[in-house]
Amino acid sequence: MLSAFARTVVPLLGRLTVTTGAVDTVAPGSIVAPNHTALADPGLVLAALHRLGVEPVVLATAGLWKVPVLGRRLTREGHIPVRRGSRSAAAALDLAAEALAVGRVVVIYPEGGLPRRRDSGDRGPGTFRTGLARLALTTGAPVVPLGHAGARRIVSGGRVKQLAGVLTAPLRRPDLHVHLGEPVHLTGDITAATAQARSAVEAAWQRAVGQLPPSARHTGAR
């Protein structure tokens, strides 16, 4: 359902393009690690993966499971709720490991939550949490870094601006780009593996930003 929604709605909101490295698909049992900038970017990620023939399992905030109907569908499709800050948060990684073991592709956002800023610019990934490294080191699964740019031109700022952004996006047609980098196998301890993952996602994000027209490259440092 999530992928179907993304591939239907995202093309209406902007011009999505997708590039890959030498490997033009995502192998079963891989972890996809995107940067996280806006409420709209999960749609970009799922729409891009669908173009590559991938229907992933997504680790997402547990609050979505409280939405009537949606929660049941998310559970039925195998998506995994993450209750951040709770003792059960680690259980989400166990479920993700089980999904990887049967060949599913798992999407995990290494930054956790969204950045707390109101501008519409694209910026590189912030601080990574340790969940991605722990999952990759435990399972040995390859990590596919995914960088995207443009999502904040659909939705950013306060609630009024976010609503206005979504309503006007079909007219503005902002450029959106997703780049999948080369798979990496994380090594070392948690700290080293986390740094390695962040570097890979940063590089994929740089490639994504570089694909946007110069007029759309509103970037800055974290």
Side-chain angles (χ1 to χ4, degrees):
M1 181 185 68
L2 292 182
S3 293
F5 181 80
R7 69 175 180 264
T8 301
V9 173
V10 169
L12 299 177
L13 299 177
R15 294 182 290 267
L16 176 65
T17 55
V18 181
T19 55
T20 65
V23 180
D24 60 0
T25 187
V26 180
S30 297
I31 305 169
V32 173
N35 61 305
H36 202 12
T37 65
L39 290 171
D41 66 54
L44 273 66
V45 171
L46 291 173
L49 291 177
H50 177 76
R51 289 190 183 183
L52 300 176
V54 177
E55 305 292 339
V57 168
V58 180
L59 275 74
T61 179
L64 294 175
W65 272 255
K66 297 179 182 179
V67 179
V69 181
L70 176 61
R72 291 194 297 273
R73 291 293 299 270
L74 292 173
T75 298
R76 188 181 310 150
E77 294 176 9
H79 301 295
I80 300 171
V82 180
R83 295 174 176 83
R84 298 187 183 96
S86 71
R87 293 182 178 180
S88 62
L93 295 182
D94 293 335
L95 293 174
E98 293 175 7
L100 292 168
V102 296
R104 296 297 302 273
V105 171
V106 170
V107 173
I108 180 172
Y109 282 90
E111 296 165 83
L114 290 166
R116 295 185 177 182
R117 57 188 179 88
R118 290 176 173 262
D119 64 280
S120 61
D122 279 294
R123 300 186 187 181
T127 301
F128 275 22
R129 298 174 182 266
T130 60
L132 170 61
R134 287 155 53 201
L135 180 62
L137 292 175
T138 298
T139 62
V143 173
V144 179
L146 185 152
H148 60 79
R152 291 189 69 83
R153 296 188 66 211
I154 296 176
V155 56
S156 61
R159 291 185 179 180
V160 173
K161 184 182 177 184
Q162 289 179 19
L163 178 59
V166 172
L167 293 177
T168 61
L171 299 176
R172 295 183 289 112
R173 303 288 294 160
D175 291 286
L176 314 168
H177 190 80
V178 173
H179 178 78
L180 274 81
E182 300 296 325
V184 296
H185 284 85
L186 303 187
T187 58
D189 59 16
I190 296 293
T191 300
T194 299
Q196 184 183 4
R198 189 188 179 285
S199 178
V201 175
E202 170 89 23
W205 172 77
Q206 291 282 3
R207 289 287 299 274
V209 170
Q211 295 293 324
L212 296 181
S215 61
R217 299 177 195 173
H218 177 199
T219 63
R222 287 268 186 176

